Amino acid sequence: MKAIYPGSFDPITLGHLDIIERAAKIFSEVYIVVMENKRKKYTFSLDERIEMIKESTKHIKNIKIDCFKGLLIDYVKKNNIDVVIRGLRAVTDFEYELQMAMANKEMCPNVDTIFLMTDKKFSFLSSSLVKEVAYFGGDISSWVPKNVEKKLITLFNENKGGVDI
Ligand code: PNS
C-alpha cells in the first residue's frame, strides 16, 4: 500500500522523522510531499526544505520525496496513493486535523487519513518552536537532524533580524 505524509516541513524535525520511519515500516512506499499551506509564511524555500528532508532520510529506502502546489487530494489521485498519514501530538492538533481529514474524505471518499501518535519525547515539538529557540541561540540538537541544526544556526547567524520565523 502507498501512503503520503504531507506537510510544510519548515524545517523537518526529529518528530517528523520519527513518523516517517514508522510509516515506512507499515507501508510499502511512503511519499514525503512538501506542500504549500496558504496560512503559512515559510522560513526556508521549497528547495531548501526538500534538501533537508533528503539529507535526513538517506537511511530509509522505501520513500519518495516530492513537492506539490495544489490540493493534496489531487496529488493523491494522480499518484494512486491509498492513505494519508498525519502525526498527532496533543489534543490541540485534533480539531485542525479532523477538519482536514474530513474535507479530504469528502473530496476523495476512497482515501483515508491515518494518524500516528507522535512519540512522547517529541509531543511538544514543532518546526516553529525549534526556529524560535534556534533564533535566540538555544540548543536544538535533540530536536532536529544534524544537517537541519547546522542550517538553522547558519541562517540565524547570517540574518539575525531579517528572517521570518
Ligand atoms: O505541516 P502542515 O503545515 O500542518 O501541513 C498542512 C498541509 C500542507 C498538509 C495542508 O495545509 C495541505 O494539505 N495543503 C494543501 C492544500 C489542500 O489540499 N488543502 C485542503 C486540505 S483540507
Side-chain angles (χ1 to χ4, degrees), residues 8-75:
S8 300
F9 304 106
D10 188 39
I12 183 169
T13 68
L14 290 183
H16 293 126
L17 192 57
D18 173 60
I19 298 286
I20 295 170
E21 286 169 347
R22 286 158 58 202
K25 284 184 191 152
I26 302 172
F27 298 97
S28 56
E29 194 172 15
V30 181
Y31 286 59
I32 320 297
V33 182
V34 183
M35 305 284 300
E36 203 75 312
N37 181 341
K38 287 282 170 220
R39 274 179 280 241
K40 289 193 180 171
K41 267 179 124 181
Y42 298 107
T43 303
F44 292 104
S45 70
L46 203 54
D47 286 347
E48 288 176 310
R49 286 181 276 152
I50 290 174
E51 199 43 52
M52 283 186 273
I53 298 172
K54 280 190 180 154
E55 189 69 28
S56 320
T57 56
K58 279 182 181 158
H59 59 294
I60 313 169
K61 297 290 163 246
N62 55 330
I63 58 170
K64 185 177 153 70
I65 297 153
D66 200 1
C67 62
F68 189 65
K69 285 184 183 163
L71 277 181
L72 170 65
I73 228 61
D74 287 338
Y75 186 95

Side-chain angles (χ1 to χ4, degrees), residues 93-136:
D93 282 342
F94 185 74
E95 222 164 303
Y96 169 59
E97 293 297 336
L98 181 70
Q99 191 183 26
M100 277 205 297
M102 284 182 164
N104 287 334
K105 182 88 179 156
E106 192 76 17
M107 291 186 279
C108 189
N110 56 337
V111 172
D112 271 303
T113 301
I114 291 184
F115 295 100
L116 293 181
M117 300 311 297
T118 300
D119 188 295
K120 67 177 182 308
K121 63 178 181 285
F122 302 126
S123 59
F124 63 93
L125 200 56
S126 69
S127 300
S128 317
L129 181 133
V130 164
K131 285 184 283 189
E132 186 165 324
V133 173
Y135 182 85
F136 290 112

